[in-house]
Amino acid sequence: MAKYDFDSYTLYEIKKRNVYSVRIRVVLKNAIDGEALKTSAVKAYKRFPYYSRTVSLNEDEAYILEPCDKPLVVSMGNKVIKLGTDETNGLLFAITYDNNNIYFNFAHNFCGGCGAMLWIKATLWQYLTDLGYDVDKTGILTIDTPITLKEQAEPDVEHMPVGNPVGNFDFPKDSFTPLNDYFESMRDPNGIDGYYPIKIPKKNLMKYARDNDGSPNSILSALLFKMHIKVRPDENRFIGGIANNYREDVGCPETYRDMVRQMYVQYDKRMKDWPVEKLSTITRSRMYVQMQPELSWEKIREVEAFRRQIDKQNGIDNKVTYAVDNSPTTHGIPSAFHISYVGKIAWGGLAPFLDGVYSLTMGHLMVEVNATEEDFCFSFQTVRRDGMYIKEFLEALEEEGIAYSAGSLEEKKLPEIILPPFND
């Protein structure tokens, strides 16, 4: 087994590149009461002691997580915040807010979208309750909800089942990747790393998915291919990456910890005139082959072996270099686009107060999907300011008769993550 805390190992990669920075924007129907939010958020955060930790280097120059009794910082403004600094009391979690938006900022090494929802729902419930609303707490972890072992579970690799997958999905790995978009953005001093907030009525999209042999992931992937083949008609192949949460496969279905691996679906220009139904069927069939539990067992063993090798490196610089060069998380197949869907969130008594939920992460042409009780909320992430991709994506929705509402391009303003040694 690796030597240190399960949540600590992606910190080495963060030291070189800020790829594990997450911001989740929750839009309420009413304006935020800042003073009430500050009190309520600090109270709710105490329910999650595994998040109340700071980062330090031990005598072996390994990252360790230590308990922190300082309060969660809540500050006003739609802004970039520096996690792990005095600005956030050394914590890798913080909240900012403006108007009717609450921004939950955190480092991905603790949790992803699924785990973060535990904290988000608890905070919203506490805030609304403190304001005097009677909010049903079914499915919400409040300050008096006991912390369970299942909630904190991590995979037991030594006792993981052994099995061979029934076939592997293999395909040529060449694909159009939007590298020039990054270069163009770097040359533009006024460039924006942004996203378009898009809402699609849940009832309409689910009916469309059922009518077209699909799921939200397969339909979205098919539509993004339709978008790409119009934007890049001279390209031959496009690979879409689709996140697969494999917590249940490795025995941790209720854990706050993030366990995601990528599935890949390849399309080529010969499919450009295929109907979405056919594209969706192909997409789902390729997803199913890659969703075998045996592949999850392989992945978690790969992750564990990678972490043991980090432990063997001498000094923080060598640990960081090894982690960055060998990461099983960020060294996937180059893709044209990526999709991440948090899945169904039971908002319960919180539902009437919500107007939107948008996950913001690192990545270009990365579509993050959340849902309220009534809508799917997409953050269509891009570094381009010319609207090239979004125009064709929205046209693809219109061609399929899928109703939507889309906002203008906004900056993500992802948090920065600052780790020791601080003089680097």
Side-chain angles (χ1 to χ4, degrees):
M1 297 289 288
K3 290 172 63 174
Y4 299 107
D5 191 301
F6 188 92
D7 299 329
S8 67
Y9 282 89
T10 52
L11 295 171
Y12 297 102
E13 296 173 62
I14 289 172
K15 190 63 184 175
K16 269 282 179 72
R17 54 191 183 193
N18 200 22
V19 294
Y20 293 102
S21 183
V22 185
R23 195 178 200 221
I24 297 182
R25 174 191 178 189
V26 176
V27 186
L28 297 185
K29 292 181 179 177
N30 295 321
I32 304 302
D33 181 328
E35 292 307 311
L37 178 62
K38 289 176 184 178
T39 302
S40 302
V42 168
K43 196 186 305 182
Y45 190 71
K46 291 178 181 177
R47 168 57 184 69
F48 305 93
Y50 40 77
Y51 293 159
S52 293
R53 295 186 288 178
T54 57
V55 182
S56 63
L57 286 175
N58 68 3
E59 63 277 4
D60 295 326
E61 293 195 7
Y63 281 132
I64 58 173
L65 297 168
E66 299 185 291
C68 176
D69 58 5
K70 294 181 179 180
L72 177 77
V73 172
V74 179
S75 58
M76 185 171 66
N78 179 9
K79 58 189 178 182
V80 176
I81 196 163
K82 293 184 177 180
L83 304 175
T85 67
D86 290 342
E87 182 183 4
T88 63
N89 284 334
L91 298 169
L92 299 182
F93 290 75
I95 289 176
T96 51
Y97 67 93
D98 75 334
N99 301 319
N100 60 332
N101 301 289
I102 305 177
Y103 303 95
F104 293 83
N105 307 274
F106 58 97
H108 208 325
N109 58 293
F110 286 100
C111 60
C114 291
M117 289 301 162
L118 303 177
W119 167 47
I120 289 170
K121 293 194 323 182
T123 303
L124 295 175
W125 181 88
Q126 192 67 61
Y127 168 67
L128 293 166
T129 300
D130 288 349
L131 286 178
Y133 294 100
D134 183 13
V135 184
D136 181 8
K137 68 177 182 179
T138 302
I140 298 171
L141 303 178
T142 61
I143 193 67
D144 57 352
T145 307
I147 298 174
T148 66
L149 292 177
K150 289 183 178 180
E151 179 186 343
Q152 303 174 84
E154 60 185 75
D156 183 358
V157 178
E158 292 183 355
H159 297 93
M160 194 69 63
V162 176
N164 293 317
V166 183
N168 278 292
F169 176 51
D170 196 16
F171 55 88
K173 303 301 190 292
D174 57 317
S175 170
F176 163 75
T177 53
L179 295 179
N180 286 339
D181 294 352
Y182 287 106
F183 299 147
E184 181 178 315
S185 176
M186 291 169 64
R187 288 195 299 267
D188 179 2
N190 298 311
I192 183 171
D193 184 14
Y195 70 102
Y196 293 88
I198 303 171
K199 275 188 186 178
I200 297 178
K202 187 187 290 186
K203 183 167 60 176
N204 295 356
L205 185 60
M206 292 307 295
K207 181 182 186 304
Y208 178 88
R210 288 192 297 269
D211 292 346
N212 289 275
D213 189 31
S215 64
N217 271 336
S218 68
I219 294 298
L220 181 56
S221 186
L223 291 170
L224 286 167
F225 165 66
K226 289 278 193 182
M227 172 196 78
H228 267 293
I229 202 66
K230 289 183 178 179
V231 174
R232 305 287 182 181
D234 296 329
E235 299 295 335
N236 291 314
R237 292 193 177 98
F238 304 89
I239 294 177
I242 303 175
N244 176 39
N245 188 318
Y246 68 106
R247 298 184 305 173
E248 186 169 355
D249 289 349
V250 296
C252 308
E254 299 176 26
T255 187
Y256 70 82
R257 294 184 160 98
D258 184 51
M259 295 175 198
V260 173
R261 59 185 178 86
Q262 290 292 318
M263 300 179 291
Y264 298 96
V265 180
Q266 187 181 76
Y267 308 92
D268 64 56
K269 67 187 308 179
R270 294 172 299 176
M271 302 176 178
K272 68 183 180 68
D273 296 320
W274 285 15
V276 168
E277 179 180 11
K278 188 173 182 179
L279 290 170
S280 174
T281 300
I282 291 293
T283 302
R284 292 185 77 186
S285 67
R286 293 173 177 177
M287 287 169 60
Y288 284 141
V289 174
Q290 298 172 79
M291 290 174 69
Q292 299 172 72
E294 289 81 0
L295 296 175
S296 297
W297 305 340
E298 287 180 8
K299 172 58 70 174
I300 202 65
R301 286 193 175 97
E302 178 189 357
V303 169
E304 177 65 18
F306 164 71
R307 292 178 168 195
R308 285 199 298 267
Q309 288 301 316
I310 291 176
D311 291 337
K312 290 180 181 179
Q313 309 304 310
N314 293 319
I316 184 62
D317 290 340
N318 289 331
K319 291 178 187 293
V320 166
T321 298
Y322 182 87
V324 170
D325 290 346
N326 297 278
S327 171
T329 304
T330 58
H331 283 60
I333 295 171
S335 303
F337 60 85
H338 288 270
I339 303 166
S340 179
Y341 174 34
V342 168
K344 184 177 180 180
I345 298 297
W347 292 105
L350 298 170
F353 302 91
L354 296 177
D355 195 43
V357 182
Y358 302 92
S359 291
L360 309 175
T361 56
M362 296 295 289
H364 174 38
L365 292 179
M366 174 78 179
V367 180
E368 293 273 359
V369 186
N370 273 290
T372 62
E373 200 75 7
E374 298 178 350
D375 299 304
F376 282 106
C377 301
F378 295 179
S379 56
F380 186 101
Q381 303 184 150
T382 179
V383 296
R384 295 190 68 103
R385 303 181 68 191
D386 57 10
M388 179 173 69
Y389 293 109
I390 189 68
K391 174 180 178 291
E392 298 296 351
F393 179 68
L394 295 180
E395 283 190 7
L397 292 175
E398 291 168 9
E399 288 172 4
E400 298 303 316
I402 301 174
Y404 69 86
S405 61
S408 57
L409 183 64
E410 300 189 32
E411 283 191 87
K412 296 181 197 172
K413 297 185 179 177
L414 294 174
E416 296 179 21
I417 303 171
I418 310 299
L419 300 174
F422 296 110
N423 59 351
D424 277 6

